[in-house]
Amino acid sequence: MEESLWAYRTTYRTPMQANPYSLVYRVEAVLPLEHQIPSLRLAIQEELEALDDKRLEAQQRLECYQVCLSRSFNKRVCLRSFQVGDQVLVARRPIITSRRSGGIFSTKWDGPFVVHEVYSSDTYKIVYSDGLWTCPNNGKFMKRYYP
């Protein structure tokens, strides 16, 4: 009786273009004989299951690595905040300077400037010391000037 049910459930049906087992369980049935005699399909299925485990382990290792990397990076980050009236230097843009303009001995900073207004999200309006306006600057491109 069991063998006949197994045969019925695993036999390909032309009208459905599938067998009943695969429609119910969404996978092809593994025949009992394939457990006793190693088959290519069973080996591939086991490799895929092992690959899923490897992918999961790799994902977990990657997440741990990213957490460690961000901790290490955040230790060295210095949050800069400036008040109105502070003197600051602004990074020269583009940061990469040509060798003709002084080479490695040229300064990478312009200024000093004076902070005129403080906006939200680490943005500052700065002016030259003689009062000329400049465009707003991000705080990450600025550093405090000590005369």
Side-chain angles (χ1 to χ4, degrees):
M1 175 77 173
E2 292 176 8
E3 291 84 12
S4 60
L5 280 174
W6 180 259
Y8 177 79
R9 292 176 183 154
T10 57
T11 303
Y12 184 81
R13 305 279 184 255
T14 306
M16 295 186 294
Q17 299 291 316
N19 60 42
Y21 186 92
S22 65
L23 293 175
V24 171
Y25 297 106
R26 296 182 184 163
V27 293
E28 289 295 324
V30 178
L31 301 174
L33 184 62
E34 287 181 303
H35 283 290
Q36 295 171 355
I37 301 171
S39 69
L40 181 61
R41 187 166 59 120
L42 194 59
I44 290 173
Q45 186 176 358
E46 288 174 1
E47 284 181 24
L48 288 176
E49 290 172 1
L51 185 61
D52 288 340
D53 292 340
K54 287 181 182 178
R55 285 181 181 157
L56 183 61
E57 288 176 22
Q59 178 68 27
Q60 290 171 343
R61 285 191 197 114
L62 180 64
E63 288 172 0
C64 290
Y65 177 74
Q66 287 175 339
V67 166
C68 291
L69 209 59
S70 79
R71 268 194 224 134
S72 174
F73 177 79
N74 290 336
K75 283 180 186 176
R76 288 180 256 138
V77 172
C78 300
L79 296 177
R80 299 177 183 157
S81 62
F82 305 103
Q83 305 298 323
V84 173
D86 286 349
Q87 288 188 329
V88 294
L89 297 175
V90 177
R92 185 174 287 170
R93 294 187 194 123
I95 295 174
I96 301 170
T97 58
S98 66
R99 294 197 181 261
R100 283 182 266 143
S101 65
I104 59 172
F105 298 111
S106 66
T107 180
K108 295 177 178 74
W109 298 93
D110 286 330
F113 298 95
V114 177
V115 176
H116 184 71
E117 270 185 74
V118 178
Y119 300 120
S120 62
S121 71
D122 200 28
T123 306
Y124 301 91
K125 186 174 192 178
I126 58 175
V127 295
Y128 288 99
S129 53
D130 59 4
L132 294 174
W133 296 93
T134 64
C135 58
N137 280 286
N138 191 318
K140 70 180 179 180
F141 297 114
M142 298 167 45
K143 71 177 182 179
R144 195 170 308 278
Y145 173 70
Y146 299 100

